[in-house]
Amino acid sequence: GQSYEIRLLENRKLGEFQDLNTKYVKSIIRVVFHDRRLQYTEHQQLEGWRWSRPGDRILDIDIPLSVGILDPRASPTQLNTVEFLWDPSKRASAFIQVHCISTEFTPRKHGGEKGVPFRVQIDTFKQNENGEYTEHLHSASCQIKVFKPKGADRKQKTDREKMEKKTTQEKEKYQPSYETTILTECSPWPDVPYQMNNAPSPSYNNSPNSFNLGDGNSSPTHQMELLPPSNDHLLPSASIQDAQQWLHRNRFSPFCRLFSSFSGADLLKMSKEDFVQICGPADGIRLFNAIKGRNVRPKMTIYVCQEPEQNRSHLHQKRENGDGSLCVYHAIFLEELNTLELMEKIANLYSISPQQINRIYRQGPTGIHVLVSNEMVQNFQDESCFVISTLKGVYCCCCYLL
């Protein structure tokens, strides 16, 4: 919640960006995970945070304190992102506020822990011929950790005490303290940011009848893309530029310079040993698997079908008679094996917001409704079939799934 200034300066070298013929540029500020381990599960981590802190944002811009910025925007679907326009020829400062702390993403989620490092990244773009701010100019970032005031004071005190115990030679290995941090130039953030579901949340929903899972026999009208598409395979026909973009999209930006003259065919001819030798064991194996298009088998697969209300009494009879036209099943692949993931996957399947699903029940013996827990999900049999029906919630925009 504390406001911190990010001062935006035009520091072009002589001869650089001479074609910058637009008055304004657009900067996008993001708070993302610095650890690669958490970057892989970024969507699940941020969605879990949203569920535990409904209505809150991860990143905000303090507009009254900011100077020289125009058209500031904070999208309700991108909780960790803000963007604005600014004039490089004039003074500009954006004051940002981070509303989540580093220990919210640690296993125990309470104080007394080191906390995960975040990264503040700023990507700047200029206008193209169509007036859209899509041409990349510059990207820079720095690492941050966020604590509540007492936790921050305690951490700084502990750090000072540790430094005082070190010898002069050991102290030379560490950077000295500075009043300000100069952000380090880095690769642009991948094109697909974290997004909540495209369906409006209940607070933005004016229509009482907008919640609808569709007909039981119909497929979803569209599938929302929250993560980069899984069929983003590198093709042999890919040019050098296409190969560079593929590396960016799949989070291999640090190796773009190494493979700056490689086409898709060149990369596909390389062996696992080649990638390990060039990129190191961890990234080399990951890059090899991504290029070869190897999919990781999900921990569990279940099949779901939405049952129309009027067909409920005839479901078993028609199934026994071999009437296959009654229901169309959709596969749901589970990795985390918890209720939050199940709720998200069902919501994504039917193009609705997870917030509109209040609870999930399983019909038990004698027709009782059993609340679905994490333990129950973990004990589902692989490739189980479920029929989903909806029960109206107390509020018009919520429902219960059975």
Side-chain angles (χ1 to χ4, degrees):
Q2 172 68 39
S3 295
Y4 287 93
E5 179 186 17
I6 295 179
R7 190 170 297 172
L8 303 150
L9 303 169
E10 182 188 22
N11 56 355
R12 282 184 287 172
K13 296 168 187 170
L14 193 63
E16 207 175 31
F17 307 131
Q18 290 296 331
D19 58 339
L20 189 60
N21 50 13
T22 56
K23 185 177 181 183
Y24 298 108
V25 294
K26 180 168 87 169
S27 285
I28 301 173
I29 301 181
R30 292 181 176 87
V31 170
V32 292
F33 292 113
H34 187 74
D35 286 350
R36 184 168 291 172
R37 176 180 59 85
L38 288 167
Q39 287 175 10
Y40 295 146
T41 58
E42 183 177 280
H43 167 65
Q44 290 93 331
Q45 296 282 347
L46 297 183
E47 195 76 345
W49 185 90
R50 181 175 69 85
W51 272 85
S52 63
R53 300 269 296 273
D56 288 353
R57 288 188 57 79
I58 290 173
L59 179 67
D60 265 328
I61 187 162
D62 192 337
I63 295 172
L65 284 180
S66 300
V67 176
I69 64 171
L70 298 171
D71 197 20
R73 296 185 183 185
S75 168
T77 61
Q78 296 180 32
L79 305 183
N80 62 331
T81 304
V82 294
E83 60 181 58
F84 52 85
L85 304 179
W86 58 285
D87 184 349
S89 64
K90 295 180 180 177
R91 181 195 166 198
S93 284
F95 280 78
I96 62 166
Q97 299 171 337
V98 181
H99 299 296
C100 65
I101 59 175
S102 291
T103 50
E104 287 186 82
F105 298 98
T106 52
R108 292 188 293 277
K109 295 183 173 59
H110 59 70
E113 298 177 76
K114 290 181 178 179
V116 301
F118 300 136
R119 186 196 302 174
V120 172
Q121 175 149 342
I122 306 175
D123 300 289
T124 302
F125 303 86
K126 67 173 183 175
Q127 283 180 309
N128 60 13
E129 302 84 19
N130 301 325
E132 299 166 335
Y133 290 93
T134 54
E135 289 198 30
H136 179 258
L137 280 176
H138 187 262
S139 292
S141 67
C142 72
Q143 184 179 321
I144 64 166
K145 280 192 178 182
V146 185
F147 298 96
K148 290 182 177 177
K150 286 184 181 177
D153 292 340
R154 188 168 60 247
K155 185 180 186 306
Q156 288 177 338
K157 183 184 175 185
T158 307
D159 288 348
R160 277 197 299 270
E161 288 172 352
K162 283 181 181 176
M163 288 302 292
E164 285 168 6
K165 292 175 184 175
K166 294 185 184 296
T167 63
T168 309
Q169 286 181 334
E170 288 175 326
K171 285 180 182 177
E172 288 175 357
K173 297 176 184 177
Y174 295 86
Q175 290 183 349
S177 300
Y178 293 105
E179 286 295 315
T180 59
T181 299
I182 297 173
L183 273 64
T184 308
E185 195 166 348
C186 63
S187 302
W189 193 249
D191 293 330
V192 183
Y194 159 71
Q195 285 199 355
M196 274 167 34
N197 303 290
N198 295 335
S201 61
S203 57
Y204 294 90
N205 198 343
N206 297 322
S207 170
N209 299 319
S210 61
F211 181 83
N212 181 19
L213 290 182
D215 297 328
N217 293 338
S218 66
S219 296
T221 51
H222 64 282
Q223 192 78 14
M224 286 174 291
E225 289 185 356
L226 299 170
L227 298 171
S230 58
N231 59 350
D232 183 17
H233 297 307
L234 184 66
L235 302 175
S237 57
S239 65
I240 292 173
Q241 188 178 4
D242 292 337
Q244 290 285 302
Q245 290 174 355
W246 183 90
L247 289 167
H248 271 303
R249 281 199 307 274
N250 290 271
R251 304 229 179 145
F252 294 106
S253 302
F255 306 108
C256 284
R257 190 169 291 175
L258 281 170
F259 298 112
S260 58
S261 57
F262 283 63
S263 66
D266 295 330
L267 289 170
L268 284 163
K269 287 174 186 173
M270 294 175 68
S271 66
K272 185 192 289 186
E273 289 72 26
D274 293 334
F275 286 118
V276 168
Q277 192 173 354
I278 293 170
C279 309
D283 289 313
I285 293 170
R286 191 169 72 89
L287 180 52
F288 174 77
N289 289 339
I291 282 179
K292 300 301 178 185
R294 292 189 178 182
N295 293 323
V296 180
R297 182 177 172 81
K299 287 183 182 175
M300 184 182 293
T301 303
I302 62 172
Y303 303 105
V304 298
C305 163
Q306 192 205 343
E307 175 197 357
E309 190 71 28
Q310 64 270 21
N311 290 338
R312 186 178 299 177
S313 59
H314 306 293
L315 177 65
H316 297 290
Q317 181 184 348
K318 289 200 175 185
R319 194 182 284 162
E320 286 170 5
N321 294 340
D323 186 353
S325 64
L326 179 64
C327 290
V328 174
Y329 282 82
H330 301 281
I332 290 181
F333 304 106
L334 299 175
E335 296 288 351
E336 304 294 327
L337 301 184
N338 58 40
T339 51
L340 177 62
E341 182 189 27
L342 179 63
M343 204 176 287
E344 284 179 359
K345 294 287 175 74
I346 292 173
N348 290 348
L349 186 63
Y350 293 107
S351 306
I352 60 168
S353 166
Q355 284 184 321
Q356 292 173 272
I357 303 174
N358 212 349
R359 290 279 189 277
I360 300 182
Y361 298 103
R362 185 176 183 181
Q363 190 163 315
T366 68
I368 61 172
H369 294 172
V370 183
L371 183 65
V372 174
S373 63
N374 290 345
E375 196 173 2
M376 185 187 287
V377 175
Q378 288 160 13
N379 284 284
F380 281 166
Q381 277 193 319
D382 194 26
E383 299 203 326
S384 297
C385 297
F386 295 97
V387 177
I388 296 176
S389 58
T390 58
L391 308 171
K392 201 68 177 173
V394 178
Y395 302 103
C396 59
C397 56
C398 290
C399 83
Y400 301 91
L401 291 187
L402 178 63

